Amino acid sequence: MIIRTLVLLVSMTAIIQVSVYILEARQSEDTITKLAYNSVANLHLENTSLDTLIFIQRKEHMSKMCKTHANLHRNVFDGTKDLDHILVDEKHKLLYCYVPKVACTNWKRVFMVLLGIADKDNVSSIPAEMVHRKSTFPRLSNYTVEQANYFIENFTKYIFVRHPFERLLSAYRNKLEEPSERSKYFQMRIGRDIVKHYRENATNTSLQLGNDVTFEEFALYLIDRYAPAFNEHWKPISELCYPCLIGYDFIGKYETLQSDVEFLLKAINESDIKFPKVRLSNTTAQILRYYDTLSSQVIAKLYNIFVLDFKLFSYSTENILGYEIG
């Protein structure tokens, strides 16, 4: 009985805190806070909840960081060619910027269902080959500047993000370390180049196959900004999705993927679509083992590449490396 009473009191307190926060956001003189509230309110949610508060806070934080770090991001688009990662669903008035290594394959599957080009009964069975085919989706880059601006202004815009260092490691393991057929393209195209430029006395086998690149070599390759280094799988989110220019209404996180997905699908009245169950990568458990091979100077330079992602989406290096950078 005591426990039940305590739980009830905690729940009531949380609801009051959320209500007060949202009321303050609605009435605030701070333009950023108002925009944050209005963006999440546009999802037409039925009830105030702790989840709603989390998403308002994420949006508000991103907006403030965009303002604080205006020198780190672009202020204008050069046409629409840079908007290739933003998919368009005119029926539901949605824009989704997909980020590789952040459950984007499954989100693309769901997007196909939303577009009406795939069946909702078994979303996970949609072939990955079709999902990643460029012609499958209408993209913001396919539209005129005027149309793109209209969509950005009037559609609900969402993105899913992940800790920059975890995403980077996941990309390395999947594309350069993993001994699989799907990794061979990256190993032959990028791995061989890394071995050639960053390994002394490389064997002929390594130079020919590029399948044994170390994480340290990969990191050195990135911080040198070598020509083809910024493949979409490890390109900063800030340079794939331009969050400060687009102003995403909903920011989901890989770390809370399932609950964030369910919240968003419910908000757009599509909760009957079952997002494929994702077994979250064990990259987190492995991260120290890999980053321990890097010097503090190299880690600091990597951080500088992804600094805007860290700032915009409230990520820290402390919980991973044991100390904070920046």
Side-chain angles (χ1 to χ4, degrees):
M1 182 65 178
I2 294 175
I3 293 176
R4 187 181 304 168
T5 302
L6 286 172
V7 169
L8 180 61
L9 286 172
V10 170
S11 299
M12 290 177 63
T13 302
I15 291 172
I16 291 170
Q17 288 174 337
V18 174
S19 300
V20 169
Y21 183 91
I22 292 180
L23 180 62
E24 289 175 348
R26 190 184 294 136
Q27 298 175 340
S28 175
E29 295 301 319
D30 177 24
T31 302
I32 290 176
T33 302
K34 279 186 176 180
L35 288 173
Y37 168 76
N38 290 334
S39 293
V40 178
N42 285 339
L43 291 173
H44 307 298
L45 300 170
E46 295 178 359
N47 300 306
T48 296
S49 67
L50 279 174
D51 287 335
T52 309
L53 173 59
I54 289 170
F55 299 122
I56 289 175
Q57 288 176 328
R58 288 178 186 173
K59 167 71 176 179
E60 182 182 3
H61 176 82
M62 183 187 74
S63 298
K64 286 183 176 179
M65 290 298 100
C66 286
K67 185 176 180 181
T68 302
H69 301 285
N71 62 312
L72 297 179
H73 61 82
R74 291 172 59 173
N75 296 313
V76 294
F77 286 122
D78 180 15
T80 62
K81 62 180 174 52
D82 295 320
L83 306 178
D84 199 50
H85 269 248
I86 301 177
L87 309 184
V88 180
D89 174 5
E90 294 190 51
K91 175 185 175 183
H92 294 86
K93 295 186 176 181
L94 289 176
L95 298 180
Y96 161 54
C97 188
Y98 68 91
V99 180
K101 311 313 299 176
V102 192
C104 77
T105 299
N106 283 332
W107 255 121
K108 284 182 177 180
R109 287 178 169 129
V110 169
F111 215 77
M112 289 177 68
V113 174
L114 293 173
L115 289 172
I117 56 178
D119 191 79
K120 68 173 64 176
D121 291 338
N122 193 359
V123 179
S124 59
S125 68
I126 300 172
E129 179 187 353
M130 182 183 298
V131 164
H132 294 302
R133 193 178 299 152
K134 200 172 181 66
S135 60
T136 298
F137 303 99
R139 299 164 185 264
L140 209 53
S141 57
N142 301 142
Y143 295 84
T144 66
V145 173
E146 291 75 19
Q147 288 173 314
N149 284 331
Y150 176 83
F151 293 155
I152 291 170
E153 183 70 24
N154 294 281
F155 285 16
T156 296
K157 308 169 288 290
Y158 73 95
I159 185 175
F160 273 73
V161 301
R162 185 178 184 179
H163 191 293
F165 278 2
E166 286 192 21
R167 177 173 168 252
L168 180 63
L169 178 56
S170 178
Y172 161 75
R173 296 180 69 195
N174 181 241
K175 302 303 180 185
L176 291 170
E177 184 183 60
E178 190 176 280
S180 66
E181 285 298 317
R182 63 183 181 181
S183 300
K184 281 187 177 180
Y185 169 81
F186 286 86
Q187 291 166 354
M188 293 293 289
R189 179 171 172 264
I190 297 174
R192 293 194 304 176
D193 202 33
I194 294 176
V195 171
K196 178 181 177 181
H197 288 89
Y198 295 94
R199 185 181 304 178
E200 294 182 5
N201 303 317
T203 65
N204 287 334
T205 300
S206 294
L207 289 168
Q208 290 172 3
L209 301 179
N211 62 353
D212 61 352
V213 171
T214 68
F215 188 59
E216 181 183 22
E217 290 167 340
F218 177 59
L220 292 172
Y221 173 73
L222 291 180
I223 63 178
D224 279 352
R225 293 185 177 272
Y226 203 72
F230 288 103
N231 179 275
E232 65 173 0
H233 291 86
W234 47 79
K235 192 172 187 177
I237 295 173
S238 57
E239 296 178 21
L240 282 175
C241 298
Y242 305 102
C244 294
L245 282 172
I246 299 297
Y248 292 93
D249 304 304
F250 182 91
I251 303 163
K253 292 200 169 187
Y254 183 82
E255 296 79 8
T256 51
L257 178 65
Q258 206 64 42
S259 59
D260 288 4
V261 166
E262 290 171 5
F263 183 93
L264 180 56
L265 289 176
K266 182 179 180 181
I268 63 173
N269 297 315
E270 292 288 358
S271 55
D272 57 332
I273 298 178
K274 301 304 178 187
F275 193 87
K277 290 291 183 183
V278 175
R279 185 173 61 85
L280 295 185
S281 167
N282 67 345
T283 300
T284 304
Q286 300 284 345
I287 198 164
L288 274 179
R289 179 165 67 88
Y290 285 88
Y291 280 88
D292 276 348
T293 66
L294 308 182
S295 70
S296 57
Q297 291 84 0
V298 168
I299 291 175
K301 289 178 180 179
L302 279 181
Y303 177 86
N304 286 335
I305 292 173
F306 296 94
V307 61
L308 197 54
D309 288 3
F310 276 99
K311 300 292 186 184
L312 295 181
F313 307 121
S314 300
Y315 285 115
S316 166
T317 59
E318 185 171 4
N319 60 325
I320 289 180
L321 302 177
Y323 58 91
E324 185 61 88
I325 301 176

